[in-house]
Amino acid sequence: MMTDVERAFFSLLRQGLWGERAACGEVDAGDGVLEGVFRLACRQAVSGIVADGVAVAGLRPGEGLWRQWVMQLLHIEMMNERVAKCGERLVGWLASEGITASVFKGASVAKWYRNPLRRSYGDIDLVVSRGWDLVEPLLRRKELPFCYESGDIVVSGVEPFQIEFHRWREYIYNPFADARLRRMLEADAGGVELYVACLVLHLRRHALSYGVGMKQVCDVAVMMRRAGVDRSRLEAVLRRLGAWRFGRVLLRFVSVYLYGENELGANMAADKDVALLYSVIMGDGYELKFERERDGRRVGRSAVRVVENGLFFTGRSLRLFRLMPSEAFFFVCRKAVDRLLPCGGRRRCG
């Protein structure tokens, strides 16, 4: 059962995404509800989009709340401009060093939004398609601090946001499906459908490990509606990667909560699966990610942390097994192997 705050949140989020005013009287928009919506929008990293929805709906929050909202909105726009310019500079700089890279997620997804600057900013994700072996020597030569995390190279402390170098757009814990994904990415087969499939895979991986927020769901929703995605082709790609069970539940969630479609369609997941995904997204937001990263820095690789991680990973896999059986199984296997390796298979600094 949705609360008044959640009902208002989704109504304003839809209006912000699509710029279409909802029917009057659909939600309770009192000051108490709007304060709850603001907190929820921040937790889900969609405060800028929901602020757009407030404007589209013609609502007028209390002065203190609206001032806080506008200040955050201006900060998001300013940081988005910096992230976009930095991404362009990095791609050009890498090209001059013989490295071919492109921005994944971030600005490349934001361009499909009605107002790209209102999408909450994050790290700069660069996918290196040529010259991966040149990245580490270049960073060392420029004396830029970096770490390896799960095979990716992470640079922090240079900009106000983190820069991540990826060899692949995404990876899958299931090694057989991961090998298939790499072949598809190397061949650049799948077009925009493969790109969206990688967003779905990334979202699925976060749901297992760190939690997931509405910002990532909105990315999928916007590209599905505005990037010319062929749903049947997307389904074929996800089936080939063993991710259609989760993918169809996610698309059902999108159709109900972000498109406002209440009728069940063909090949959609059962309501209990959508309810499970709803509880994960709305229960986690981005706070779970920040909380786990904070705890990891505080406790380090102590025995206590290893036990806590083991309990969390196992519980998470059991909870989500119905949505992603093979991935949940290999997720636990991968985490167990990582903890047995000398370096934990996770982080090595240079």
Side-chain angles (χ1 to χ4, degrees), residues 206-219:
H206 266 251
L208 269 174
S209 55
Y210 281 113
V212 62
M214 282 302 305
K215 180 178 81 168
Q216 291 167 291
V217 181
C218 288
D219 286 348

Side-chain angles (χ1 to χ4, degrees), residues 301 306 333-346:
R301 284 187 50 77
V306 172
C333 295
R334 169 72 174 270
K335 293 303 180 182
V337 170
D338 283 352
R339 268 66 191 171
L340 294 174
L341 291 176
C343 294
R346 297 175 299 163

Side-chain angles (χ1 to χ4, degrees), residues 279-298:
S279 68
V280 170
I281 294 172
M282 298 303 287
D284 293 343
Y286 283 89
E287 289 185 4
L288 178 61
K289 179 178 186 294
F290 298 144
E291 179 183 302
R292 291 194 56 74
E293 289 176 344
R294 185 171 57 249
D295 290 347
R297 289 191 295 268
R298 176 176 55 81

Side-chain angles (χ1 to χ4, degrees), residues 42 123 151 165 283 349:
C42 292
D123 304 329
F165 294 86
C349 295

Side-chain angles (χ1 to χ4, degrees), residues 124-154:
I124 297 179
D125 294 277
L126 296 171
V127 178
V128 178
S129 56
R130 185 171 63 86
W132 175 259
D133 294 338
L134 302 176
V135 175
E136 180 178 333
L138 174 61
L139 296 177
R140 291 188 182 279
R141 192 168 71 249
K142 298 297 183 179
E143 298 183 345
L144 296 174
F146 68 90
C147 284
Y148 277 93
E149 293 186 359
S150 300
D152 299 325
I153 300 176
V154 179

Side-chain angles (χ1 to χ4, degrees), residues 21 29 48 67 100 106 113 118 146 159 167 195 222 233 260 290 309 311 326 350:
R21 187 166 183 171
R67 184 184 301 114
T100 303
Y113 278 74
R118 302 290 168 86
F146 68 90
E159 296 283 349
R167 181 65 183 89
Y195 192 100
V222 169
R233 291 182 61 186
F290 298 144
N309 278 336
L311 293 174
S326 65

Side-chain angles (χ1 to χ4, degrees), residues 246-263:
F246 177 81
R248 67 178 183 177
V249 176
L250 175 62
L251 294 182
R252 171 61 182 151
F253 180 96
V254 166
S255 70
V256 171
Y257 294 104
L258 296 185
Y259 296 162
E261 300 170 0
N262 295 318
E263 296 296 326

